Amino acid sequence: MDPCIQQRHYWWASRNDSDGKAADLDNHAEQSDAGDFSPLVHYRRAQQRTSNVPRRIYILGVGNIGGFVAHSLAGIPNRPPMTFLLPSRLSLDRWVDQGQALKLTTHGLLDTKSNFEVEHVRSRSVMGEMAVPERGIITSLSDSPAPSGEEIIHNLIVSVKAFNTVNALQRIAHRLTRESAILFIQNGMGIIEEVNEKVFPEPEKRPQYMLGVVSHGIYQTNPFSFVHSGHGTTALTILPRRVEEVKPHFESSALYLLRTMTRTPVLAAVGFGPTDLMQLQIEKLAVNAIINPLTALMSCQNGELLHRPSISRIIRLLLAEISLVIKSLPELQGVPNVRMRFDIARLENQVLNIAYKTAANRSSMLQDFAQGRATEIEYITGYFVRRGEEIGIQCVLNYMLKHMVKAKERLEGERHASLLPLKPQIPSR
């Protein structure tokens, strides 16, 4: 059996007690011999190992997804201690200005969560040494001691913008070990490959990676204030260190993160095997690769892409390239129903359904343009272009679309930074 597919048998639906430790399975369950790696044996080993894992969870990136996850974790019984890793003094000031709390509005009801800790994590020094994190505003009232200085990070959730991931992780890489777990919950794909190349180039020293795909609708109204506009699910997986591993070893910290996320009702989190999660992730990416750039370039809401023949033709041409790339990916060969799942017609139907359900929304890329911010186009459309080149498929239309977005991104950024030449002022007489 394919190792990635076999991973599906390693997930379990556990019952959890109030202190976050998984409840015991039936004591009369059949015992396996020492060499067996059945789900029951794996579960019992995991249960023993996670009991000594530090409970504190660090969150890198308190935007839409990071803020939503942190707020959700803060609402469970015996909540884990949490620390936000903030990149600048400006972020610290905003945290203070917003009352040192996270605010989430759902169906018009405001829910405020506090008792978080924050750290200002500075960038590398001129000498190349990692600067010691500077303590920010401490608001935690938990019974766990506050982390300080060079404390090891055992549990990390990364939800910064895709293009900021490498820089953000480089600031704290010295605090991560092989036993640490990093959960990436971000838009875009190809991020882990970049992290491996630039942050953790030595495989034997890499932390345990996890991936998450969030389908909840969240948007930000103010710093650290969010609206939960649409209920969805959270798909999670632990990535094996090597694809060929038949009996993968999962670090205790990764198992702890998985169990903590899945016992959080608001997240509606479920564990998947790596291959299943990749299909969910790439399906979401294909939809984003259409809606995000087209709405950003046309300055329109999602619903305005519907019922326009010219736009429909553009969508089909772009999806023809995307569909061919997905169905040709080496890691999806032999997976059942891939060709049907990623057929052009089905992908188009997915795009139209999402555009209809979010008709009044402005895509994240359009919002980035409006604020003069960089976009994640390299990790959305750019991902399909790169993977196509690797397997000999030239995605010329998506390549053009990517550079149209990058050109407009540059122009909008310059306008917001007042870098464009201004008309000379004629002095009044």
Side-chain angles (χ1 to χ4, degrees):
M1 184 183 295
D2 182 272
C4 290
I5 299 175
Q6 193 173 20
Q7 293 288 328
R8 298 172 190 169
H9 301 296
Y10 301 156
W11 301 104
W12 52 86
S14 63
R15 293 171 287 122
N16 294 281
D17 58 20
S18 61
D19 69 353
K21 297 179 181 178
D24 289 330
L25 293 179
D26 186 356
N27 291 329
H28 300 290
E30 181 181 353
Q31 298 293 326
S32 301
D33 59 41
D36 186 18
F37 195 75
S38 68
L40 176 58
V41 173
H42 179 77
Y43 182 91
R44 285 177 172 165
R45 290 175 183 172
Q47 190 177 15
Q48 294 170 358
R49 298 208 313 270
T50 56
S51 60
N52 296 322
V53 175
R55 299 181 66 240
R56 181 169 297 278
I57 296 175
Y58 290 78
I59 298 179
L60 188 61
V62 195
N64 293 355
I65 297 176
F68 173 66
V69 170
H71 187 280
S72 301
L73 292 175
I76 62 177
N78 193 27
R79 56 178 275 184
M82 282 177 277
T83 298
F84 300 153
L85 301 174
L86 303 181
S88 66
R89 278 289 183 183
L90 178 60
S91 300
L92 284 173
D93 292 340
R94 286 175 175 169
W95 174 248
V96 175
D97 293 341
Q98 296 299 318
Q100 304 177 29
L102 290 179
K103 301 172 184 177
L104 183 71
T105 301
T106 306
H107 300 308
L109 300 177
L110 176 64
D111 185 20
T112 301
K113 302 294 185 187
S114 56
N115 297 341
F116 300 97
E117 295 187 5
V118 299
E119 287 186 21
H120 171 207
V121 184
R122 294 182 290 183
S123 59
R124 294 187 176 192
S125 69
V126 178
M127 297 299 293
E129 297 290 335
M130 297 300 295
V132 176
E134 180 180 334
R135 294 300 300 164
I137 311 301
I138 300 178
T139 59
S140 175
L141 300 178
S142 69
D143 55 1
S144 297
S148 61
E150 296 286 312
E151 180 168 329
I152 295 299
I153 296 175
H154 295 274
N155 315 295
L156 177 66
I157 296 175
V158 176
S159 54
V160 296
K161 288 280 192 178
F163 52 79
N164 283 332
T165 304
V166 167
N167 178 264
L169 282 176
Q170 284 174 338
R171 298 182 178 199
I172 58 172
H174 65 300
R175 301 173 63 185
L176 295 161
T177 70
R178 181 179 171 84
E179 289 73 37
S180 301
I182 304 178
L183 170 57
F184 296 90
I185 307 185
Q186 301 165 282
N187 291 323
M189 293 182 69
I191 302 166
I192 288 182
E193 291 79 1
E194 190 174 4
V195 169
N196 284 342
E197 178 186 353
K198 299 179 180 178
V199 185
F200 302 111
E202 301 176 69
E204 65 277 4
K205 295 183 180 180
R206 287 173 188 158
Q208 179 94 61
Y209 295 151
M210 303 174 65
L211 279 178
V213 178
V214 174
S215 64
H216 293 272
I218 310 112
Y219 64 88
Q220 191 171 35
T221 54
N222 287 301
F224 307 104
S225 296
F226 311 93
V227 173
H228 190 188
S229 58
H231 291 276
T233 60
T234 304
L236 301 168
T237 194
I238 305 176
L239 298 179
R241 294 186 184 275
R242 294 184 302 276
V243 176
E244 67 273 12
E245 283 185 314
V246 177
K247 299 179 180 180
H249 170 78
F250 297 147
E251 297 296 338
S252 303
S253 51
L255 295 169
Y256 165 72
L257 260 184
L258 176 68
R259 290 163 62 186
T260 302
M261 296 283 284
T262 53
R263 76 180 182 97
T264 306
V266 177
L267 295 178
V270 181
F272 287 84
T275 303
D276 292 331
L277 188 125
M278 181 188 179
Q279 292 180 77
L280 290 172
Q281 190 179 27
I282 207 165
E283 189 172 73
K284 178 181 177 181
L285 189 71
V287 173
N288 285 342
I290 301 300
I291 293 178
N292 272 278
L294 290 185
T295 55
L297 290 171
M298 298 178 190
S299 300
C300 66
Q301 295 176 327
N302 295 353
E304 294 180 279
L305 297 179
L306 301 171
H307 312 304
R308 286 175 167 77
S310 295
I311 295 179
S312 296
R313 292 187 181 95
I314 294 172
I315 290 174
R316 291 191 195 102
L317 289 170
L318 293 170
L319 285 176
E321 294 180 348
I322 291 172
S323 173
L324 181 58
V325 169
I326 296 174
K327 290 186 288 189
S328 303
L329 291 175
E331 56 266 44
L332 292 181
Q333 300 308 301
V335 178
N337 299 320
V338 164
R339 300 192 69 82
M340 182 182 300
R341 179 171 185 171
F342 297 105
D343 179 73
I344 299 173
R346 185 178 182 278
L347 288 177
E348 182 183 8
N349 190 51
Q350 292 280 93
V351 169
L352 298 179
N353 281 339
I354 296 297
Y356 177 77
K357 291 177 181 178
T358 61
N361 290 6
R362 298 165 71 244
S363 69
S364 59
M365 198 169 288
L366 178 58
Q367 294 178 52
D368 289 337
F369 277 169
Q371 299 297 322
R373 298 189 300 250
T375 70
E376 296 176 299
I377 191 66
E378 284 287 358
Y379 301 89
I380 301 176
T381 301
Y383 176 81
F384 292 116
V385 173
R386 288 192 302 275
R387 294 308 306 270
E389 290 175 349
E390 291 173 8
I391 54 183
I393 300 172
Q394 299 298 317
C395 299
V396 292
L397 297 178
N398 281 275
Y399 180 84
M400 180 182 68
L401 184 68
K402 183 188 81 168
H403 283 281
M404 290 175 69
V405 171
K406 291 174 71 70
K408 186 171 182 180
E409 175 185 309
R410 179 70 178 269
L411 289 171
E412 294 295 339
E414 289 176 345
R415 290 193 182 109
H416 279 79
S418 301
L419 296 178
L420 290 179
L422 301 176
K423 292 182 178 180
Q425 296 294 322
I426 302 176
S428 58
R429 295 180 180 272

